[in-house]
Amino acid sequence: MLLTDEEARLLRGEAGEGVAEAMEVVVRVAEAIGAERLVKISRAHISGISFRNLGEEGIEFIEEMARKGLRFAVPTTVNPAGMDMENWRRMGVNAWEYEAQARVLRALEAMGAEITLSCTPYLYSPPRYGEHVAWAESNAVLYANSVLGARTNREGGPLALFEAIVGRAPYAGLHTDEGRAPTIAVDLSPVKRLGEEGGYYSALGYLVGSVAKTGVPLLLNTPSGLSTSCNLKLFLAAVGASSSVGLALIEGISPEFRRVEGLDTVALEPHQLVEVLEKWGEVDVDAVVLGCPHLSPQELVELYNRLRGRRLLRRLLLFTSRWAASRATHAVRGLKEVGAEVYVDTCMVVGDLRRMGVESCATDSAKAAYYLTNQGYRVWLAPRDALLEAVTA
Ligand code: F3S
């Protein structure tokens, strides 16, 4: 394993014991995945920061790092927390849980993180083409690699934390040209019309992930509706939920897309898409939950325009970032007046819908449908337009 002089100094502990420990983790991972060297990263995004996910031991571990004076070497953002940090009582969270989450955030902030609490870092601070970053959060990884042409592996939350401390990641996988070469071609032409007419972009992403499973799929003949940012977010998040894919080369979207001859090719059939939709067919629901990934300012405005003057027949829970809500204040106010519940800092999966009185829900996100089903909820997956039509008068 080749280390620069500076990296060797960090590993020897010349910048402190904590940095040396972080460097050791990054180097060990690099060796395990066959990287010959590390690469400097320009920013990091850490996931898994909910108090529920960390537990008392995890919280104390992060607090200890902050107490030791460890600091992030690069701009670092963080994924959603277990609650809206202002309106936590409305989510059925108790004071003890709030304090546990606040301790995590105080420690991360002391280490230099920007407390963004959102899974859409690509919306407010998109990395440039070719930029090396270390992001943990599969939808963000897929967006950064596939849409922006930035380079990151699908990091685990703890690894991204250590990479943020040392400002480096193993130079392997999606950081390298070879690791970004397509491994399978997926032809969407047989399902293009059904996907487009029904607006089934999220289900389509789930299907692509289930078929590709791993590697770098080259997606051919993609529906034109994928070019809207909302559909693209839903699509890529779903690819990430049903596979370990971190980069999809999408025709008409990805800057690195090139047609390649000689790849194994799989064609997606309409019945496969129907099977995904049937997996989460219509059920009676307590609420519609939208915002996986977090809603953008534009989506908030579109939702408000859509719901203005209408009456909600079911609860409508919207999840977004504090950043997006601050850029669409008029829409957020209007949505609340219509009766929608708007939450920031958290999401339907990381938060606890049961505490909010929800046992069954409808969503437009196959990623949310997948994880909520695993948490025991009854879930109906359908396009946003259809859901809004079903729950308004
Ligand atoms: Fe984001 Fe939560 Fe979905 S973190 S991608 S809204 S599961």
Side-chain angles (χ1 to χ4, degrees), residues 51-52 54-63 96 100 103:
F51 73 99
R52 258 184 229 102
L54 289 166
E56 183 57 27
E57 218 175 305
I59 297 173
E60 282 174 14
F61 179 71
I62 294 179
E63 285 182 323
W96 177 86
R103 282 169 58 200

Side-chain angles (χ1 to χ4, degrees), residues 279-308:
K279 182 178 163 79
W280 292 296
E282 184 167 354
V283 287
D284 193 25
V285 296
D286 302 322
V288 170
V289 296
L290 305 178
C292 173
H294 271 170
L295 296 165
S296 67
Q298 186 194 341
E299 287 175 283
L300 287 165
V301 170
E302 283 167 9
L303 276 168
Y304 175 49
N305 289 339
R306 177 81 199 249
L307 293 175
R308 196 164 31 181

Side-chain angles (χ1 to χ4, degrees), residues 85-99:
M85 294 307 288
E86 270 173 20
N87 291 310
W88 49 277
R89 283 194 183 84
R90 205 153 54 97
M91 297 183 74
V93 170
N94 65 42
W96 177 86
E97 292 167 322
Y98 168 77
E99 181 49 26

Side-chain angles (χ1 to χ4, degrees), residues 13-254:
E14 290 183 20
E17 190 193 330
V19 175
E21 283 166 8
M23 194 64 174
E24 201 175 320
V25 172
V26 175
V27 168
R28 280 219 187 128
V29 170
E31 284 169 349
I33 60 176
E36 286 174 1
R37 66 176 177 91
L38 304 180
V39 62
K40 279 195 172 188
I41 52 166
S42 58
R43 60 185 93 192
H45 182 78
I46 301 171
S47 67
I49 59 117
S50 139
F51 73 99
R52 258 184 229 102
N53 180 62
L54 289 166
E56 183 57 27
E57 218 175 305
I59 297 173
E60 282 174 14
F61 179 71
I62 294 179
E63 285 182 323
E64 182 59 20
M65 287 201 292
R67 247 194 313 273
K68 279 184 184 164
L70 279 176
R71 296 292 175 263
F72 297 125
V74 292
T76 299
T77 48
V78 294
N79 232 30
M83 67 200 69
D84 183 318
M85 294 307 288
E86 270 173 20
N87 291 310
W88 49 277
R89 283 194 183 84
R90 205 153 54 97
M91 297 183 74
V93 170
N94 65 42
W96 177 86
E97 292 167 322
Y98 168 77
E99 181 49 26
Q101 188 64 71
R103 282 169 58 200
V104 178
L105 303 187
R106 279 197 295 269
L108 289 169
E109 193 167 22
M111 293 173 73
E114 200 185 335
I115 306 302
T116 47
L117 302 177
S118 177
C119 52
T120 54
Y122 47 85
L123 291 181
Y124 45 81
S125 180
R128 292 181 314 275
Y129 180 86
E131 197 173 325
H132 292 271
V133 302
W135 280 9
E137 166 48 52
S138 59
N139 101 84
V141 167
L142 272 149
Y143 199 98
N145 281 316
S146 315
V147 182
L148 304 175
R151 296 186 169 210
T152 174
N153 282 320
R154 255 178 92 156
E155 307 294 27
L159 180 59
L161 186 98
F162 294 125
E163 289 169 334
I165 290 170
V166 300
R168 285 158 176 84
Y171 184 66
L174 297 175
H175 284 288
T176 68
D177 288 343
E178 311 80 66
R180 299 177 74 85
T183 53
I184 186 172
V186 181
D187 184 3
L188 277 76
S189 47
V191 290
K192 191 171 170 169
R193 190 148 158 228
L194 177 61
E196 196 119 59
E197 286 178 0
Y200 303 132
Y201 298 103
S202 194
L204 209 46
Y206 191 86
L207 176 57
V208 166
S210 320
V211 168
K213 293 188 183 73
T214 184
V216 178
L218 187 76
L219 308 187
L220 308 170
N221 304 308
T222 49
S224 60
L226 262 193
S227 59
T228 70
S229 137
C230 166
N231 293 339
L232 197 51
K233 274 164 67 208
L234 287 166
F235 176 85
L236 289 172
V239 172
S242 60
S243 73
S244 63
V245 168
L247 161 66
L249 294 165
I250 311 171
E251 186 163 24
I253 306 264
S254 301

Side-chain angles (χ1 to χ4, degrees), residues 79-80 119 137 139 237 291-294 347-350 365 367-368 371:
N79 232 30
C119 52
E137 166 48 52
N139 101 84
C292 173
H294 271 170
C347 78
M348 65 287 266
V349 171
V350 185
S365 164
K367 174 171 182 175
Y371 285 106

